[in-house]
Amino acid sequence: MKRNLGWALICAGAVVFAGCGMGTSEPTTPQPGEPGTETGISLTFELGAVEDVEGMRFHIDTCDGEEVTTEDVAISELDLGAIEELGIEDDGAVQFADYFAVVEAGCYNVEIQPLDGDGEPVEFCSAAMAEGVEVEAGRTTEIIMVSQCGGDDFGGLDVLGVLNFEPTITMLTFDPSKIVGCGEVEVCVSAVDSDGDGIEFEWDQLAGPTPAVGPEVTTSTVDNGVSTECVEMTPGYTGAYTFEVVAYDLMEDADGTLVRVEDLVSESHEGFESRSSLKFPLYVSCEEPEDVLEEIEDE
């Protein structure tokens, strides 16, 4: 439906019209059957863009509370360009309902209610009421009524674009070496984040015998933007070990708690990652390989 209310109400802002220079005739003595001399009331309802409204219920009572008529009228589209007296400024057609009833001279209360396609009142449109409408003998009283309908509320959308860079692992060290006996070895990793975010490390073994001890985190430090974490382990068995260390990007959530960026974003972006990883080997040769192999098999 078209959205061109364009109200230029003739009667100084009045919502309900009652014969305000709208083509009404002077009172005359009614002659039955003579065109233009019946006593009547003409109701016009201008709707605007309310797509769920398909009809209008017109209800008329006398001012004493006696019901006169109730009738449902379908919404129509008419070109009102030539009817300037109605006080509707519109370049083309408008959606509205029009109802005419022949009634006795007197005082009337008029109510209109927008209806949906099932003939039920539309919830988001209020009924309009005009009380004390006077109808004189021999002339038609024209009124325009407006039913207020609630439209869809709009909200603001504020989008902040933020660039985030994943951490970068810059160094990995072994003490004493990546080739060792079955004794203790320390591995340290360092990483930086260009955004200045916190970093969380995670260690995992990918291949090789299960170490006798560890790996266990011994120190975690941050110095001049460089995050460093060290782990210690005792391999205990001859073999080729493969480990992986992952540096995760951290960010504060709504509660001010540091969490992984991946966890914050994953709800809206499945598969999102903000991390850096590095796989590294560890070669172990024990003094008594036969005993060690037996232990590995037993385990």
Side-chain angles (χ1 to χ4, degrees):
M1 298 182 180
K2 294 187 177 180
R3 179 59 175 172
N4 289 314
L5 293 179
W7 290 107
L9 302 183
I10 298 176
C11 292
V15 176
V16 177
F17 283 59
C20 296
M22 299 173 65
T24 56
S25 59
E26 292 296 326
T28 59
T29 301
Q31 299 295 326
E34 181 179 345
T37 60
E38 293 87 351
T39 299
I41 182 170
S42 178
L43 310 176
T44 300
F45 168 79
E46 204 282 329
L47 184 64
V50 185
E51 296 181 357
D52 293 335
V53 178
E54 297 188 16
M56 186 65 54
R57 177 165 295 155
F58 292 88
H59 181 81
I60 303 176
D61 288 341
T62 66
C63 290
D64 296 330
E66 181 180 350
E67 182 176 351
V68 176
T69 182
T70 298
E71 187 168 342
D72 295 348
V73 179
I75 296 296
S76 303
E77 183 176 282
L78 297 180
D79 188 354
L80 300 181
I83 311 178
E84 299 178 355
E85 292 84 354
L86 287 180
I88 303 175
E89 294 181 358
D90 193 273
D91 296 333
V94 295
Q95 298 289 341
F96 79 107
D98 184 67
Y99 179 67
F100 186 92
V102 177
V103 295
E104 296 180 356
C107 177
Y108 295 91
N109 297 326
V110 182
E111 181 180 0
I112 59 173
Q113 174 65 61
L115 305 176
D116 60 20
D118 297 325
E120 298 296 328
V122 178
E123 295 182 358
F124 57 84
C125 292
S126 61
M129 174 70 74
E131 298 181 346
V133 179
E134 295 290 342
V135 176
E136 300 180 21
R139 66 184 298 179
T140 294
T141 300
E142 291 182 296
I143 64 174
I144 296 177
M145 303 176 66
V146 178
S147 173
Q148 181 64 39
C149 296
D152 295 332
D153 292 333
F154 290 87
L157 177 62
D158 187 6
V159 180
L160 178 63
V162 178
L163 296 177
N164 181 71
F165 294 90
E166 63 185 24
T168 301
I169 293 177
T170 58
M171 183 178 297
L172 187 76
T173 61
F174 300 87
D175 184 16
S177 171
K178 71 175 184 295
I179 302 174
V180 295
C182 287
E184 186 177 84
V185 61
E186 182 183 62
V187 182
C188 295
V189 64
S190 296
V192 295
D193 187 280
S194 59
D195 305 317
D197 298 330
I199 297 175
E200 180 181 45
F201 295 101
E202 185 175 287
W203 302 80
D204 190 24
Q205 182 178 1
L206 304 181
T210 301
V213 178
E216 298 177 348
V217 177
T218 56
T219 60
S220 293
T221 61
V222 179
D223 185 16
N224 292 325
V226 180
S227 298
T228 301
E229 187 168 279
C230 297
V231 297
E232 289 182 353
M233 70 184 84
T234 301
Y237 308 104
T238 296
Y241 297 72
T242 302
F243 295 90
E244 181 182 38
V245 59
V246 182
Y248 289 94
D249 201 1
L250 300 181
M251 185 177 292
E252 288 187 355
D253 62 9
D255 299 326
T257 303
L258 279 176
V259 297
R260 294 177 181 178
V261 174
E262 294 182 2
D263 296 337
L264 286 177
V265 182
S266 61
E267 294 182 1
S268 57
H269 296 76
E270 185 177 354
F272 175 86
E273 292 185 354
S274 183
R275 64 176 78 171
S276 179
S277 62
L278 180 64
K279 298 180 179 65
F280 61 92
L282 186 64
Y283 302 103
V284 180
S285 178
C286 296
E287 294 180 359
E288 300 177 356
E290 293 182 1
D291 295 339
V292 171
L293 291 175
E294 184 177 351
E295 291 183 23
I296 294 174
E297 291 174 357
D298 291 342
E299 184 171 333

